[in-house]
Amino acid sequence: MKRLYYQTKNVESTERVADDLHREGVTDWHFHVISKNEAGLQKHRVHLAAPWHRFDILHTGERGAVIGASLGLLVGLFAVLSTPIGEIFGFWFLPLPTGLCGFFGAWVGGLVGLSHESYKISRFHDVIEAGDYLLMVDIRKNQEGKVRSMMQREHPEADFRGEDSTWVSPFESGRTRSVYDSSDEPGKIHQVKLT
């Protein structure tokens, strides 16, 4: 799925966008809002972003799982090749340390991620801190044209801020992506380095 990012200035506009997106078939599971004014969003019944949207839990958890499973595999190989465990269990022993270390790595990585802003929204940090509303709309390919044209037609006050994939990869850290910046000429696309 693709994620579209929009910025609005107030909760009333955000609520109107949410209502129109619902009419276009975008459910609350595919529409998330991040703002410092969480109480206002709840009062207007606008779907708040989940912790895994705000914090880097999934990203660092996946990274921790990969690192932990890799180390567990190395420990398991060492145990199988150089200790009596190998004679008793053979290579059937490998999933045990690989799985245990992978789960431990995911747990530690997730805890680390709770103290970091999600790498996918870090570029919007200043927008959120300024009190604006970041709208994340997850859409399928066949919905994109309909949703974009509705947003442009019905909500010119909502600034399109970029697009991304909903996929969270443990191997991503910073990359260049096309992002529309509404502070410049309308429709101008920039390459922005994300961290």
Side-chain angles (χ1 to χ4, degrees):
M1 291 186 88
K2 183 182 274 191
R3 177 168 291 158
L4 304 177
Y5 295 96
Y6 289 91
Q7 174 187 348
T8 59
K9 297 287 185 190
N10 57 58
V11 71
E12 291 81 11
S13 174
T14 303
E15 182 181 26
R16 287 190 304 272
V17 169
D19 292 341
D20 286 344
L21 285 171
H22 289 134
R23 280 191 281 279
E24 291 292 332
V26 177
T27 65
D28 278 342
W29 289 105
H30 297 107
F31 177 69
H32 322 282
V33 181
I34 297 177
S35 172
K36 289 171 61 173
N37 182 13
E38 290 185 1
L41 290 171
Q42 288 176 339
K43 181 181 173 188
H44 286 265
R45 294 186 186 102
V46 176
H47 193 248
L48 294 167
W52 53 85
H53 294 117
R54 297 181 68 92
F55 301 105
D56 221 19
I57 300 166
L58 296 176
H59 182 238
T60 55
E62 288 174 352
R63 190 175 280 180
V66 168
I67 292 169
S70 300
L71 290 175
L73 181 62
L74 290 175
V75 167
L77 282 172
F78 176 78
V80 166
L81 297 175
S82 63
T83 66
I85 291 175
E87 294 173 16
I88 298 169
F89 297 106
F91 285 98
W92 291 104
F93 176 74
L94 289 179
L96 180 66
T98 304
L100 289 176
C101 291
F103 284 126
F104 181 73
W107 177 67
V108 170
L111 290 177
V112 168
L114 279 172
S115 63
H116 294 86
E117 188 172 53
S118 170
Y119 77 104
K120 289 192 173 268
I121 66 160
S122 61
R123 64 184 171 180
F124 304 112
H125 177 80
D126 294 339
V127 167
I128 296 165
E129 285 301 309
D132 288 355
Y133 298 80
L134 178 66
L135 288 63
M136 301 183 297
V137 185
D138 300 341
I139 54 172
R140 287 182 223 87
K141 192 173 189 172
N142 63 347
Q143 292 177 299
E144 184 176 0
K146 192 166 61 167
V147 168
R148 281 185 184 243
S149 64
M150 183 278 296
M151 288 295 291
Q152 204 170 30
R153 183 179 64 251
E154 302 292 330
H155 300 285
E157 79 281 3
D159 290 330
F160 178 69
R161 302 301 294 178
E163 63 184 44
D164 196 358
S165 169
T166 58
W167 176 255
V168 176
S169 171
F171 305 109
E172 286 182 284
S173 57
R175 63 182 188 273
T176 303
R177 186 179 314 128
S178 294
V179 176
Y180 170 74
D181 185 355
S182 66
S183 63
D184 290 334
E185 309 165 23
K188 187 173 181 184
I189 301 291
H190 299 277
Q191 294 293 318
V192 178
K193 178 71 173 169
L194 303 176
T195 55

